[in-house]
Amino acid sequence: MKTTKLLTSVFALGSIALGTLGQAKEAAAISFTDPNGQIIEAQDPEKELLRGWLADEAVSDGVNHTSNHNHAFWLPGLIGGGEGVNKGTFVWDGPAVFYEYEDGTANLFGSIYALRDENKKFDVNVWFEGKTETSGFGGPKKELKGSTYSNGTVDTDEWYYYDVDEEMSTLTGVTGEYAGKTLNLFDITDGKYTTQVGIGANGKNSNMGLSTWFGDSEGFTYAGSGNHSDINIDLVALQGEEGGSGILSESVPEPATMSLLSLGLIGSGMGALKRKKK
């Protein structure tokens, strides 16, 4: 009788362990909450979420990057002229999110407005694809002080990369002269640089971040801009619905791990049975 109860308990523990994993993975794949506890739904609910990040404008930290820059988007073709940090600068208008998915795609969405003209506001929906550990042929784009890389503050070997999905990436005008107008984004680096993600990858500080470079259907360019526009953002891990880290793959045990745990529990039970027979 005692043997039957022990074996039943062991199998029950294994089932609970595997069942808990399934529930955690399912819950974690639904959505994340922002710092105020508000659920932020994914743009594509059919995709399984991997990581969730709150996006913020990247600010020069004065240590690893000394230029006086801070922005989420730099769009000099829309806000050019003048000097100082407001030139070309767009910042977030409310919460913005960067979601990464299990299939190697990612999505940045929110709203931005120009610091020099708050009537210039756009809804952002930028999609990325082709996640890889390899950068473009220009290598990781290093915009911080050389010492930041040499002293180990930032290790570009830990960065990963995406391409901008040109068919799905848009800025849609909300107010003013661009209201209702959609601007399609495209890569203008011809493979030299790709979207980079990691510690210091935003090019403005040593925080977790992202940067990328692009053009658009209206030509976000002006004399001296290098014919490109930028995204430079900090990324702060969001919490999963069940309280997990924004990096779900590191906070939720893998099936193999849990299977081994279950087998270990069963093995322990069988060992206990053998000892009982002696």
Side-chain angles (χ1 to χ4, degrees), residues 17-32 47-51 100-103 240-242 244 247-256 258:
L18 290 173
T20 301
L21 168 66
Q23 292 172 5
K25 286 292 284 184
E26 183 179 356
I30 297 172
S31 62
F32 292 88
K47 290 178 175 285
E48 185 175 0
L49 286 168
L50 173 64
R51 300 178 177 91
E100 298 181 274
Y101 297 94
E102 292 280 4
D103 64 0
E241 283 191 326
E242 297 300 311
I247 306 178
L248 295 179
S249 61
E250 295 180 6
S251 65
V252 178
E254 292 297 320
M258 293 302 290

Side-chain angles (χ1 to χ4, degrees), residues 86-129:
N86 289 350
K87 182 176 64 176
T89 297
F90 283 72
V91 296
W92 296 111
D93 183 24
V97 175
F98 179 62
Y99 271 164
E100 298 181 274
Y101 297 94
E102 292 280 4
D103 64 0
T105 63
N107 182 211
L108 175 66
F109 58 97
S111 295
I112 55 173
Y113 68 91
L115 281 182
R116 289 173 63 93
D117 183 356
E118 294 187 11
N119 198 40
K120 289 184 176 178
K121 180 178 177 180
F122 293 86
D123 285 338
V124 173
N125 188 25
V126 181
W127 282 89
F128 305 89
E129 61 183 352

Side-chain angles (χ1 to χ4, degrees), residues 68-69 74-89 115-116 222-225:
N68 189 21
H69 296 162
W74 184 64
L75 307 172
L78 295 183
I79 298 292
E83 297 296 334
V85 296
N86 289 350
K87 182 176 64 176
T89 297
L115 281 182
R116 289 173 63 93
Y222 80 111
S225 72

Side-chain angles (χ1 to χ4, degrees), residues 30-210:
I30 297 172
S31 62
F32 292 88
T33 58
D34 68 16
N36 296 319
Q38 299 297 311
I39 294 177
I40 304 172
E41 300 291 348
Q43 297 282 82
D44 188 342
E46 299 300 317
K47 290 178 175 285
E48 185 175 0
L49 286 168
L50 173 64
R51 300 178 177 91
W53 308 94
L54 189 69
D56 198 2
E57 53 260 26
V59 180
S60 299
D61 59 14
V63 177
N64 301 300
H65 185 272
T66 56
S67 295
N68 189 21
H69 296 162
N70 68 288
H71 56 255
F73 279 65
W74 184 64
L75 307 172
L78 295 183
I79 298 292
E83 297 296 334
V85 296
N86 289 350
K87 182 176 64 176
T89 297
F90 283 72
V91 296
W92 296 111
D93 183 24
V97 175
F98 179 62
Y99 271 164
E100 298 181 274
Y101 297 94
E102 292 280 4
D103 64 0
T105 63
N107 182 211
L108 175 66
F109 58 97
S111 295
I112 55 173
Y113 68 91
L115 281 182
R116 289 173 63 93
D117 183 356
E118 294 187 11
N119 198 40
K120 289 184 176 178
K121 180 178 177 180
F122 293 86
D123 285 338
V124 173
N125 188 25
V126 181
W127 282 89
F128 305 89
E129 61 183 352
K131 181 182 177 183
T132 178
E133 303 301 316
T134 306
S135 64
F137 68 83
K141 191 171 183 181
K142 300 179 180 180
E143 299 183 282
L144 303 176
K145 285 184 175 180
S147 59
T148 305
Y149 307 100
S150 62
N151 65 18
T153 300
V154 170
D155 183 359
T156 60
D157 288 342
E158 296 181 355
W159 293 0
Y160 54 96
Y161 305 87
Y162 291 98
D163 292 319
V164 173
D165 187 335
E166 299 180 358
E167 294 183 359
M168 297 179 63
S169 297
T170 60
L171 298 180
T172 303
V174 176
T175 58
E177 63 189 283
Y178 291 98
K181 188 172 184 178
T182 298
L183 306 177
N184 300 100
L185 311 186
F186 61 89
D187 175 29
I188 61 167
T189 68
D190 294 325
K192 182 176 182 180
Y193 296 115
T194 54
T195 303
Q196 56 193 37
V197 183
I199 300 296
N202 59 27
K204 298 292 181 285
N205 55 56
S206 58
N207 298 334
M208 180 68 182
L210 171 153

